Amino acid sequence: MDRIRIEGGRRLSGAIPISGAKNATLPLMIASLLTDQKLTLENVPALADVALLKRILANHGVDYMVSGKRAGDAPNIGETLTLSAENIVDTTAPYELVSRMRASFWVVGPLLARMREARVSLPGGCAIGTRPVDFFLMGLEALGAKIDIEGGYVVAKAPKGLSGARVHFPHVSVGATHTIMMAATLAKGETLIENAASEPEVRNLADCLIKMGAKIDGAGTPKIRISGVDALQGTTHRVLSDRIETGTYAMAVAAAGGDVLLEHAEPGTLQAALDAITQAGAEITETNAGIRVCRNSSGLNPVDITTEPFPGFPTDLQAQFMALMTRAKGTSHIRETIFENRFMHVQELARLGADIHLDGQDATVHGVEHLKGAQVMATDLRASVSLVIAGLAAEGETEVNRVYHLDRGFERLEQKLSACGADIERLSG
Ligand code: EPZ
């Protein structure tokens, strides 16, 4: 199993190209199931989750082709991926595949809308919480689907097609919003989604669906109105820049010190996180090339944060911000409100000398003067990268084990950081 070795204490300086967003790419790829024509996605990141979803879609009969790269192209140019779901040969998404990536459950919406049936394995729990699918089922039932749970599978049928309806989510859910929005594009009549997720990835998906011929209003706000159409067509669409990768590297610079330009970053997609990083003492400047983050040798201020749906502070940056706060001059409070068990990084950060106390969904972080390198273990994607940030700011050598978690969501992490002067390398085996 690969490991990452970091010799901490180096300032970061240079430029980091931000990749296309994993969490926008996945639903966009799934949207290919809605049409028998070709969907071409640009700026697709080379990530393990993207590779796995290609396999899952291929199982339904989707052909895919990667193009657009020539010898000599800069490695940061994302892939151009063309997906063709001309013939859907299987409406079952099996346990072996769905259990490895929760987002693959979202195929239930497009399959049901286009094929009038879908049999999709329940995704089960994961390291960050139980993550049920009740909102998805409630939404699909509202659109007229008959749902049964059989042998761990959701069996959804709508022999006469789906019909538009009002769907009110009890809590904001990104995945349920993606899924019901996709399903409603091919339903008869109008659907109103209330308390919808307004994350930038939802807006990115809606923009693509609109180019495919869908009629959608209000994506990016809590109320989305969709008028169903008979069929969607192919199009070409660009994946937006990854706001979580942007925030992660901004926090890495704030933690290690330095001056780095985050190229192609879109500040409007992570304002709450940028505000918190600024309060912590880094300087953030928006330029036409991206976001520049600087921190000189002055210390870090403690900042309290609470994770919330967009536009609040994202849960996917909570672990990284905690790593930053471990070295603040004072005490900070971090509240996680989205997932009940997203503090797995706390015990690993403690191995580096962090002083953190947990009480339910609240973490109290007492800043320490120095972190010291140690062996640590990655537990999930964002937790792993928080350990990398802490390792960059620590004295001495840190070794992060189980880095396959990182490969799910961070493209060429070691190369991007070492190009800015970090002493970081991947060790195989
Ligand atoms: C998306 O997950 C992201 N994944 C997550 O990123 C992110 O942490 C999360 O949204 C919140 O922003 C992708 O986009 C691929 P939710 P999702 O449904 O859609 C509860 C990462 O690190 N809920 O918005 O699965 C749920 O348990 C990942 O990149 C129900 O109760 O998250 C959670 O507490 C991890 N019933 C809350 O809602 C449901 O039917 C929000 O989850 C659905 C959700």
Side-chain angles (χ1 to χ4, degrees), residues 239-260:
V239 176
L240 89 167
S241 287
D242 196 317
R243 65 193 168 103
I244 305 304
E245 191 194 21
T246 305
T248 300
Y249 288 127
M251 289 171 196
V253 178
D259 183 348
V260 172

Side-chain angles (χ1 to χ4, degrees), residues 329-407:
K329 286 186 174 156
T331 299
S332 55
H333 301 277
I334 294 182
R335 169 168 283 207
E336 171 58 55
T337 71
I338 309 292
F339 293 110
E340 76 265 29
N341 189 23
R342 211 176 196 182
F343 281 135
M344 309 276 282
H345 40 285
V346 168
Q347 61 195 30
E348 297 303 303
L349 289 170
R351 297 173 59 76
L352 296 165
D355 180 0
I356 305 167
H357 293 271
L358 278 185
D359 180 10
Q361 59 186 146
D362 294 297
T364 304
V365 187
H366 301 289
V368 294
E369 192 121 335
H370 300 288
L371 296 176
K372 288 222 165 69
Q375 294 234 4
V376 288
M377 188 151 42
T379 49
D380 71 67
L381 168 57
R382 311 304 176 185
S384 336
V385 84
S386 77
L387 301 173
V388 172
I389 292 177
L392 291 169
E395 290 170 357
E397 188 175 291
T398 294
E399 202 174 281
V400 183
N401 292 287
R402 297 200 183 167
V403 297
Y404 54 83
H405 290 292
L406 277 175
D407 296 332

Side-chain angles (χ1 to χ4, degrees), residues 128-147:
I128 61 176
T130 48
R131 301 178 84 184
V133 293
D134 47 340
F135 306 162
F136 295 73
L137 304 189
M138 178 271 282
L140 293 172
E141 275 176 341
L143 297 184
K146 184 177 168 296
I147 309 257

Side-chain angles (χ1 to χ4, degrees), residues 22-27 49 101-106 126 128-138 169-179 197 199 201 242-244 308-310 313-317 320 336-340 342 380-383 408-410:
K22 167 181 86 81
N23 289 350
T25 304
L26 301 178
D49 273 10
M101 181 173 58
R102 179 179 163 90
S104 56
F105 181 77
W106 305 348
C126 73
I128 61 176
T130 48
R131 301 178 84 184
V133 293
D134 47 340
F135 306 162
F136 295 73
L137 304 189
M138 178 271 282
F169 290 126
H171 297 284
V172 172
S173 162
V174 174
T177 302
H178 284 315
T179 303
E199 268 65 4
E201 293 77 15
D242 196 317
R243 65 193 168 103
I244 305 304
E308 283 166 348
F310 190 82
F313 191 99
T315 174
D316 291 347
L317 284 172
Q320 299 90 313
E336 171 58 55
T337 71
I338 309 292
F339 293 110
E340 76 265 29
R342 211 176 196 182
D380 71 67
L381 168 57
R382 311 304 176 185
R408 294 186 46 208
F410 289 92

Side-chain angles (χ1 to χ4, degrees), residues 39-60:
L39 175 63
T40 297
L41 300 175
E42 297 170 343
N43 199 30
V44 171
L47 297 171
D49 273 10
V50 171
L52 179 58
L53 186 56
K54 283 179 190 160
R55 280 184 54 201
I56 292 169
L57 293 176
N59 195 57
H60 295 300

Side-chain angles (χ1 to χ4, degrees), residues 112-113 137-146 158 161-167 179-185 187-188 190-193:
L112 184 59
L137 304 189
M138 178 271 282
L140 293 172
E141 275 176 341
L143 297 184
K146 184 177 168 296
L162 296 172
S163 302
R166 174 176 168 265
V167 177
T179 303
I180 300 304
M181 183 167 74
M182 285 192 276
T185 59
K188 285 186 210 85
E190 190 172 283
T191 296
L192 177 66
I193 306 178

